[in-house]
Amino acid sequence: MKFTHRVTFLVLTFVWFSAIPIFGKNPGSEMAEAAKNFLAALNPEQTSKASFELENKERHNWHFVPKTRAGLSFKEMTKPQRDLAHALLNSALSQRGYVKVTTIISLENILHDLENKNPRRDPELYHLSIFGGPGATNTWGWRFEGHHLSINFTIVRGTFISTTPMFLGSNPGEVKEGTRKGVRALANEEDMARELVKMFSEEQLKSVIFSAEAPRDIITGNSRKAKALEPVGLSYSKMTKEQRKALMKLVEEYLFRNRNEIAENDLTKIRKAGVDHISFAWAGGTKRGEGHYYRIQGPTFLMEYDNTQDNANHVHTTWRDFKNDFGEDILQKHYERTPHGD
């Protein structure tokens, strides 16, 4: 009987502390399978472009502007290869996340027309890069990146998953004319935050709004390592029950761009670090069409939103982890336990 109780305790302990639930699907394994299928479809020249060592400094060379990029672009892929690239995205993203990403890509066609056929506005200039060797129990990573997108995943021993830095942007923020009039790729990120602002009392707004003018962009930009910003705004502990609920729903809007198993794990880490220490801060106007910025900052993470450029119709959002961008924290622990290269 004692032995049975001990086994039960050990099993429950393993389930409790696992990065991904022991029951159900394993996102790390599914991403590895999708990545291997993608690589297997490439010719040697394409493989050389798409593949990097995990330690290659290119893994940290992330950005969200139109520029020449490493990796293999959609433009260089066949239709079946693109399908397999999208399968990798689908192995990590939720349905809502995938819709956001593909809508952002599609906006390049609108910018192409608005900017007199600007060749830099091209929905085929999105690149996929694989870092290390994908495998069900391997340590590796991948990035999908182009204008207004940088999605970075690091998987350690097939189980522990880092999802940051993650950048999603939208230009135009709202399509103003044409057959796609009204399309907003990142509508919830704006609307949910503005609804939260409307819930605050005049006294609370004195803490929430830290500047009448919004910064011209997200403050952290494409920094290699995210650092905590000035501690402004109103803390979760000083909000009403309904305000707290609205704030956490906004946090979840960012987290659940990824599939549920991954997002739930990230949400657990945020809660474990202490939700009372999460703060919400706003700068700029509070009406639709006015330039504005907000950030949500907790002990372990930062989320930024900015909509000021192009007459406040150009959105930038980012989500950073202070310790674990690019999987740095879990990679360090992995290398301490495992000889490098094993």
Side-chain angles (χ1 to χ4, degrees), residues 25 38 61 80 91 102 110 115 122 175 186 206 221 239 281:
K25 297 179 180 178
F38 170 72
N61 182 29
S91 71
T102 51
I110 292 175
E115 299 178 1
D122 187 341
V175 179
L186 301 173
K206 293 178 182 178
M239 296 182 188

Side-chain angles (χ1 to χ4, degrees), residues 244-258:
R244 292 176 178 180
K245 183 178 179 180
L247 174 60
M248 292 310 296
K249 290 295 289 183
L250 180 57
V251 169
E252 290 175 12
E253 185 65 27
Y254 283 75
L255 300 184
F256 282 83
R257 293 165 173 174
N258 295 325

Side-chain angles (χ1 to χ4, degrees), residues 63-101:
H63 216 311
F64 45 85
V65 299
K67 64 188 286 280
T68 301
R69 284 179 160 83
L72 189 68
S73 71
F74 279 163
K75 190 176 288 292
E76 300 167 285
M77 298 180 199
T78 64
K79 174 62 166 58
Q81 291 167 346
R82 291 183 197 176
D83 291 342
L84 290 170
H86 277 278
L88 178 54
L89 283 171
N90 269 310
S91 71
L93 301 178
S94 64
Q95 183 178 7
R96 81 170 79 171
Y98 184 72
V99 168
K100 290 177 193 288
V101 166

Side-chain angles (χ1 to χ4, degrees), residues 27 31 54 59 88-89 91-94 129-131 140-144 150-156 160-166 255 257-259 262-263 266 319 326-327:
M31 279 190 268
L54 181 64
R59 192 164 72 91
L88 178 54
L89 283 171
S91 71
L93 301 178
S94 64
S129 302
I130 310 293
F131 300 92
W140 62 289
W142 61 279
R143 178 178 72 207
F144 180 75
S150 187
I151 298 170
N152 298 272
F153 280 87
T154 306
I155 302 93
V156 178
F160 300 91
I161 299 173
S162 165
T163 58
T164 58
M166 177 175 277
L255 300 184
R257 293 165 173 174
N258 295 325
R259 57 187 284 179
I262 298 172
D266 285 325
W319 167 30
F326 301 107

